């Protein structure tokens, strides 16, 4: 079956996208699709998905520790206090993606989120998780959508609340990465059954 789960060098069936590098194998097996909770943890994933826009995820994955160092471990309160000097520092940091618009959005989003009650980001994002029983299990990569009604609604809601750089595709990637949906293929060893 074309696009279905494939065996890695260890014989374990995985989603085909995970087999190109060891970094992807580890991310696929240990993180992707597992539930993520907590405002700071979800803010980090939201920021990384925004930085990924237009790039390969491996580019972000390999710089994740650089991003964490540059953005105060994605603690919302600390990033909200970043100054113009911090933004200039970030634009010169080779450990991250130096995109002015994405850096500005990351800081601006922290400032918005710093005004929310604790737990509100977590609650809001998870309120868009679809009923797993209502979703067909993807058998091939062609069965995995890039955008859903839920990701479109999440994107619109976050934008209305002042969050930038979160279109429907970015919102769906966040949903996949943070376990709101399980898009591991049917035969993938990492799929929750």
């Amino acid at each position: 079956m074309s696009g279905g789960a494939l065996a890695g060098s260890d014989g374990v069936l995985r989603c085909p996208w995970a087999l190109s590098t060891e970094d992807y194998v580890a991310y696929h097996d240990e993180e992707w699709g597992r539930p993520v909770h907590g405002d700071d943890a979800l803010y980090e994933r939201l920021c990384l998905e925004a930085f990924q826009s237009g790039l390969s995820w491996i580019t972000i994955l390999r710089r994740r520790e650089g991003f964490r160092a540059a953005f105060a471990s994605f603690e919302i309160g600390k990033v909200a206090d970043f100054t113009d000097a911090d933004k200039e520092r970030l634009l010169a940091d080779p450990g991250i993606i130096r995109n002015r618009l994405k850096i500005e959005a990351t800081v601006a989003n922290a400032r918005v989120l710093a005004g929310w009650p604790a737990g509100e980001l977590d609650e809001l994002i998870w309120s868009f998780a679809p009923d797993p029983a209502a979703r067909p299990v993807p058998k091939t990569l062609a069965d995995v959508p890039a955008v859903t009604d839920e990701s479109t609604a999440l994107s619109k809601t976050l934008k209305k609340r002042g969050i930038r750089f979160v279109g429907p595709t970015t919102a769906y990637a966040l949903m996949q990465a943070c376990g709101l949906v399980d898009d591991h293929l049917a035969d993938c060893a990492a799929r929750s059954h």
Side-chain angles (χ1 to χ4, degrees):
M1 178 186 309
S2 178
L6 297 175
S9 60
D10 57 3
V12 174
L13 289 175
R14 291 183 178 88
C15 300
W17 64 263
L19 299 176
S20 63
T21 73
E22 286 302 312
D23 293 330
Y24 268 158
V25 171
Y27 177 68
H28 171 273
D29 290 1
E30 299 164 17
E31 287 187 64
W32 192 76
R34 295 181 189 253
V36 173
H37 285 282
D39 292 345
D40 289 342
L42 287 165
Y43 168 68
E44 175 183 358
R45 300 319 192 287
L46 186 63
C47 294
L48 293 178
E49 293 295 347
F51 272 100
Q52 186 270 328
S53 182
L55 301 170
S56 168
W57 178 246
I58 197 71
T59 303
I60 303 304
L61 194 57
R62 289 182 173 157
R63 286 182 170 90
R64 185 159 55 170
E65 291 310 314
F67 275 106
R68 286 175 175 163
F71 285 99
S73 298
F74 290 99
E75 291 181 40
I76 293 168
K78 288 183 179 177
V79 179
D81 289 336
F82 276 19
T83 63
D84 287 343
D86 288 307
K87 292 177 195 174
E88 292 306 314
R89 169 185 57 81
L90 293 166
L91 283 169
D93 188 335
I96 67 168
I97 304 301
R98 295 173 284 183
N99 178 299
R100 184 176 295 277
L101 291 176
K102 293 176 182 181
I103 289 169
E104 292 277 353
T106 300
V107 175
N109 290 345
R111 290 177 179 161
V112 168
L113 295 171
W116 292 16
E120 188 166 347
L121 178 62
D122 188 304
E123 184 178 326
L124 184 143
I125 287 174
W126 277 90
S127 73
F128 288 90
D131 176 3
R135 300 187 77 227
V137 175
K139 292 180 176 54
T140 71
L141 292 178
D143 298 332
V144 178
V147 173
T148 63
D149 291 344
E150 293 88 358
S151 75
T152 300
L154 173 58
S155 170
K156 285 181 181 174
T157 300
L158 287 170
K159 285 179 180 178
K160 281 183 190 170
R161 299 283 306 267
I163 303 300
R164 295 165 31 188
F165 243 101
V166 61
T169 303
T170 298
Y172 192 67
L174 175 78
M175 293 172 78
Q176 290 174 303
C178 295
L180 280 76
V181 296
D182 184 355
D183 276 345
H184 285 286
L185 301 183
D187 293 332
C188 176
R191 180 155 186 94
S192 58
H193 295 284

